[in-house]
């Protein structure tokens, strides 16, 4: 009984193998599925071809970087003069206009200096007026001395003529020698008087030069006083610190009653005109040119794009303008891709950029396709130069 059971099982298995049908055929894909698959393949091929064409003709000329930030040419507000703050006329983050007063410093000391300089101007003017009066008086004295000299010269001529007339008379005995002696004495006295009058005239004229020097000295003192007054007036006007540009107040550190020295930072005015500095890799700026269009995307405004253009390109990499520029000639050298700051002007109205603040992170994309012909021409010139160099090398002995 036990041996018959396995035999019967083997027989049943063999019989089942003989009666089993052939392998069933594989399940085929339906026509609908094949159509969908082919359509998907065509769509993928079209997308890939479109992307390749787009990249070749446009995409590779779009240079993008997220190493970019919003900047503004902020103006540090500092006083020109020292003193105690009397008034602070603005608040934090307030919008101000150019010329608007921001801070007033106690002006009493500077008012006193201006008044002192004004008094010196008046004193110099009085000195000049007195000197000019002396000059007029001296001119009258000169006229008097000139008249006295003329009278003395006339007396001298008369005395000389009398001596000449009486000399032959005395020699002939018609007149006494005493008379001739008296006339000669008068002649000598008149000549002495002429010399004295001439000396007095010269002294009066020299006195005029001295008085004219006093006038010039008073004028110089007046000019000095006016210069001091102008300087005092400038300092007096500088006690009122005004905004130099339109913008918003930031980093305000000044308080009423605080003593501020000249040049002390009190606050910052951030202009409303913003720009972007994009730090492009050196491999991206080969055909980047001023004026090329750009698109600016601000992280603070997802989905919003601002038009712009390349305004300028820095004359050196960022590393060259750092506090400690790299010196790759010493030690081991590891090549690092350098970045060049590119300034992007934002071509948008202040209304569109009102949410901008300095320091925001942005992404910039510059379209350099306008300069693709320059790159092609440069490559052709390079190839021609290389070919010419090789030919010259072969021809040389």
């Amino acid at each position: 009984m036990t041996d018959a059971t396995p035999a019967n099982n083997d027989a049943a298995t063999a019989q089942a193998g003989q009666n089993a049908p052939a392998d069933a055929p594989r399940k085929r894909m339906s026509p609908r599925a094949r159509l969908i698959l082919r359509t998907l393949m065509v769509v993928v091929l079209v997308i890939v071809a479109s992307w390749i064409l787009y990249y070749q003709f446009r995409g590779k000329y779009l240079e993008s970087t997220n190493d970019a930030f919003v900047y503004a040419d902020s103006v540090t507000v500092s006083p020109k003069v020292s003193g105690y703050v009397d008034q602070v006329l603005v608040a934090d983050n307030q919008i101000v206009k150019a010329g608007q007063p921001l801070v007033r410093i106690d002006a009493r000391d500077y008012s006193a200096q201006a008044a002192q300089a004004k008094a010196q101007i008046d004193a110099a003017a009085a000195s000049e007026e007195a000197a000019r009066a002396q000059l007029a008086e001296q001119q009258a004295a000169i006229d008097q001395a000139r008249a006295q000299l003329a009278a003395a010269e006339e007396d001298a001529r008369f005395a000389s003529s009398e001596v000449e007339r009486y000399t032959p008379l005395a020699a002939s005995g018609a007149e006494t020698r005493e008379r001739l002696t008296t006339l000669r004495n008068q002649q000598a006295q008149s000549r002495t008087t002429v010399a004295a009058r001439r000396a007095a005239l010269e002294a009066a004229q020299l006195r005029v030069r001295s008085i004219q020097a006093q006038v010039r000295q008073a004028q110089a003192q007046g000019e000095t006083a006016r210069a001091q007054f102008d300087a005092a007036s400038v300092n007096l006007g500088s006690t009122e610190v005004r905004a130099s540009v339109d913008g918003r107040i930031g980093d305000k550190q000044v308080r009423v009653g605080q003593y501020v020295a000249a040049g002390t930072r009190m606050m910052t005015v951030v202009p409303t005109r913003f720009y972007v500095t994009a730090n492009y890799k050196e491999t991206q700026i080969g055909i980047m040119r001023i004026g090329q269009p750009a698109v600016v995307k601000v992280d603070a405004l997802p989905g919003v794009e601002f038009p712009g253009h390349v305004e300028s390109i820095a004359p050196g990499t960022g590393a060259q303008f750092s506090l400690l520029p790299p010196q790759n000639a010493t030690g081991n050298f590891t090549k690092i891709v350098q970045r060049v700051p590119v300034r992007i002007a934002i071509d948008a109205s202040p209304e569109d950029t009102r949410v901008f603040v300095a320091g925001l992170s942005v992404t910039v994309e510059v379209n350099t396709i306008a300069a693709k012909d320059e790159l092609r021409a440069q490559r052709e010139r390079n190839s021609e130069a290389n070919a010419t160099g090789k030919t010259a090398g072969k021809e040389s002995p």
Side-chain angles (χ1 to χ4, degrees):
M1 294 288 297
T2 57
D3 294 335
T5 301
N8 292 336
N9 291 337
D10 293 339
T13 301
Q15 186 65 28
Q18 293 177 358
N19 295 332
D23 292 337
R26 295 180 180 178
K27 186 177 181 180
R28 296 181 178 181
M29 184 180 296
S30 65
R32 179 183 178 86
R34 288 197 298 271
L35 177 61
I36 294 174
L37 180 60
R38 290 174 181 174
T39 303
L40 290 176
M41 292 177 64
V42 170
V43 170
V44 171
L45 290 176
V46 169
I47 292 175
V48 172
S50 299
W51 183 87
I52 292 175
L53 292 175
Y54 173 81
Y55 178 78
Q56 289 296 327
F57 291 99
R58 182 178 176 84
K60 66 181 181 180
Y61 300 106
L62 299 178
E63 301 294 349
S64 177
T65 182
N66 60 359
D67 188 358
F69 304 92
V70 176
Y71 285 88
D73 295 330
S74 302
V75 178
T76 300
V77 179
S78 301
K80 185 179 179 180
V81 296
S82 303
Y84 289 94
V85 177
D86 194 23
Q87 288 180 304
V88 178
L89 306 175
V90 292
D92 292 325
N93 308 324
Q94 178 180 336
I95 297 176
V96 295
K97 297 293 183 182
Q100 179 176 340
L102 305 178
V103 176
R104 287 194 178 99
I105 299 174
D106 189 359
R108 289 175 294 180
D109 293 341
Y110 301 101
S111 298
Q113 293 176 6
Q116 183 180 4
K118 183 64 171 58
Q120 292 176 353
I121 292 175
D122 296 337
S127 298
E128 181 180 357
E129 185 177 357
R132 290 188 181 279
Q134 291 179 5
L135 183 61
E137 182 180 354
Q138 189 63 27
Q139 190 63 44
I142 290 175
D143 294 339
Q144 182 181 3
R146 188 177 288 114
Q148 292 175 351
L149 174 61
E153 289 176 343
E154 186 65 27
D155 293 339
R157 283 192 296 270
F158 177 76
S160 297
S161 65
E162 288 294 306
V163 170
E164 290 178 359
R165 187 164 68 88
Y166 276 88
T167 299
L169 294 175
S172 63
E175 289 289 340
T176 62
R177 291 188 176 276
E178 289 79 4
R179 177 63 176 169
L180 179 60
T181 302
T182 301
L183 292 175
R184 286 178 176 175
N185 186 30
Q186 292 177 356
Q187 182 186 21
Q189 290 180 356
S190 63
R191 289 177 178 176
T192 304
T193 302
V194 169
R197 296 302 183 188
R198 185 174 288 113
L201 177 60
E202 292 178 355
Q205 291 175 341
L206 291 176
R207 176 63 179 164
V208 168
R209 295 180 182 177
S210 176
I211 297 175
Q212 288 175 344
Q214 292 178 8
V215 172
R216 290 192 296 270
Q217 182 180 4
Q219 291 175 343
Q221 291 175 350
E223 292 176 358
T224 302
R226 279 189 290 272
Q228 293 175 351
F229 177 75
D230 292 340
S233 298
V234 171
N235 290 336
L236 181 60
S238 299
T239 57
E240 186 174 76
V241 182
R242 297 177 178 270
S244 58
V245 295
D246 296 346
R248 295 172 61 189
I249 299 298
D251 192 25
K252 186 169 72 70
Q253 302 175 0
V254 64
R255 300 292 183 269
V256 175
Q258 176 183 352
Y259 180 83
V260 291
T264 302
R265 179 174 181 171
M266 297 189 298
M267 64 186 71
T268 301
V269 178
V270 181
T272 55
R273 182 181 181 275
F274 297 94
Y275 61 91
V276 171
T277 297
N279 301 303
Y280 276 97
K281 296 179 181 179
E282 56 186 314
T283 55
Q284 296 179 287
I285 64 169
I287 57 175
M288 193 172 293
R289 302 291 183 269
I290 296 175
Q292 291 176 341
V295 176
V296 178
K297 301 177 182 178
V298 184
D299 293 356
L301 300 171
V304 179
E305 297 181 352
F306 296 92
H309 65 274
V310 177
E311 188 173 20
S312 62
I313 301 176
T317 64
Q320 291 298 314
F321 298 110
S322 63
L323 183 60
L324 297 174
Q327 297 293 334
N328 295 327
T330 59
N332 297 327
F333 168 68
T334 301
K335 184 175 181 179
I336 300 175
V337 178
Q338 301 296 313
R339 290 186 177 267
V340 179
V342 178
R343 180 164 173 162
I344 307 296
I346 302 175
D347 300 330
S349 64
E351 289 294 329
D352 295 333
T353 60
R354 62 182 180 274
V355 298
F356 279 22
V357 295
L360 289 180
S361 299
V362 299
T363 300
V364 179
E365 183 179 79
V366 176
N367 188 349
T368 63
I369 194 171
K372 64 178 182 179
D373 295 335
E374 295 183 20
L375 181 61
R376 186 182 300 110
Q378 186 174 3
R379 289 174 177 172
E380 292 176 356
R381 289 194 301 270
N382 191 25
S383 299
E384 293 176 358
N386 291 336
T388 303
K390 291 180 180 178
T391 303
K394 292 179 179 179
E395 293 178 352
S396 61

